[in-house]
Amino acid sequence: MEYAKMRAIAERLTAYAEQLEGSWKVEIGPSGPFLAMMCPSKRHEGTVRRIRDQLDAQLSATHPGYICANGPVIEHVSLGRMRRPDAVVIPEEVLDEEGLTVDAAQVLATIEIVSPSNPDNDYGEKLTEYPAMGIAHYMIVDPRTGTIEVYSDPCKGRYARKDPYIFGDKVPFSVWTVETVAFRRYGRAGNPTA
C-alpha cells in the first residue's frame, strides 16, 4: 500500500482514538497503520521522566533550543513509517507547529522503555527503523532485566555501534550522561506493579 493511503488511514485512526476512553497511539509499522492502547506502568513513566529531566538539564548547554519530550509522533515519509517513542530529543519550536507528526530529520535521539508485554517492538522493528530514519542515537532501557543499550552511528540502515550498561551506571548518550542509579526494575515475572 502506498504511504499516502497508509497516512490517511492513520489520520482516521487518530480521530477515532480521540473518541475512545483511555490513552491510545497510532503508528505505521512494517504491516501498515495500527492503533494500540497505551497503558504504561508507573515505573515505566518514572523512568521516562528521570531521563527527560536529566537530558533537559544538559540540552540547554549542548543544544540550545532543544528539549527531551515524550509523546510526539515521528514520521519518515520515504520509509513509510510513523512511530511514537517514549521520548525524543527535538527542537522545542516544532511542538508549536501545525500537524500531528515531527519529521524524523529533526530528531537527534530516541528513547524507549521496554514494556513487559511487547519487548520485540523496541529490540526488533524500532532498532531497524530508527537508524534507517537517520536518527543518530537510540537508547533502550529494559526494566525487566535492569539493562540499557545505547546505539549510535547509523550506517546503511543499521547502527554500527552498540554499548551495553546496567542500572546504576552513568550512561554516555551522545554528548549527554544519564545517571541510572534511581531506575527501578519491574517486579518478578515482569509484573510492573511490584
Side-chain angles (χ1 to χ4, degrees):
M1 179 183 310
E2 72 180 62
Y3 187 70
K5 290 180 183 177
M6 288 192 292
R7 183 66 156 73
I9 293 169
E11 288 179 13
R12 287 196 300 275
L13 285 172
T14 299
Y16 175 71
E18 290 173 358
Q19 301 170 14
L20 300 174
E21 289 187 26
S23 182
W24 297 82
K25 70 177 178 179
V26 175
E27 295 185 341
I28 299 175
S31 302
F34 63 92
L35 175 67
M37 183 172 200
M38 295 175 13
C39 191
S41 70
K42 293 182 286 185
R43 289 192 178 166
H44 179 281
E45 292 303 293
T47 303
V48 171
R49 183 192 56 79
R50 286 181 180 96
I51 292 170
R52 203 181 69 232
D53 289 351
Q54 290 182 55
L55 293 181
D56 278 341
Q58 298 169 64
L59 282 163
S60 60
T62 64
H63 295 81
Y66 280 75
I67 60 166
C68 184
N70 58 323
V73 174
I74 59 174
E75 180 176 38
H76 194 288
V77 174
S78 65
L79 280 179
R81 295 291 185 271
M82 214 169 78
R83 291 296 189 171
R84 186 172 190 259
D86 290 318
V88 293
V89 176
I90 55 174
E92 185 172 20
E93 65 189 21
V94 303
L95 296 178
D96 292 326
E97 297 172 354
E98 289 290 328
L100 299 173
T101 63
V102 173
D103 184 338
Q106 297 177 296
V107 177
L108 295 182
T110 56
I111 298 104
E112 296 286 1
I113 314 304
V114 177
S115 71
S117 62
N118 192 12
D120 294 339
N121 194 28
D122 299 325
Y123 286 111
E125 292 176 3
K126 292 180 180 180
L127 186 55
T128 60
E129 291 174 0
Y130 290 157
M133 290 179 176
I135 297 170
H137 306 280
Y138 176 33
M139 176 187 288
I140 301 175
V141 178
D142 195 338
R144 300 170 314 147
T145 59
T147 59
I148 300 143
E149 294 179 358
V150 174
Y151 294 87
S152 58
D153 303 331
C155 179
K156 298 181 182 178
R158 302 181 70 103
Y159 286 112
R161 182 173 178 157
K162 171 186 164 186
D163 296 301
Y165 300 94
I166 60 171
F167 283 18
D169 288 345
K170 288 185 178 183
V171 176
F173 185 47
S174 180
V175 296
W176 317 296
T177 301
V178 176
E179 175 58 66
T180 68
V181 72
F183 288 12
R184 298 291 176 254
R185 292 182 63 176
Y186 296 141
R188 293 187 188 271
N191 179 0
T193 60

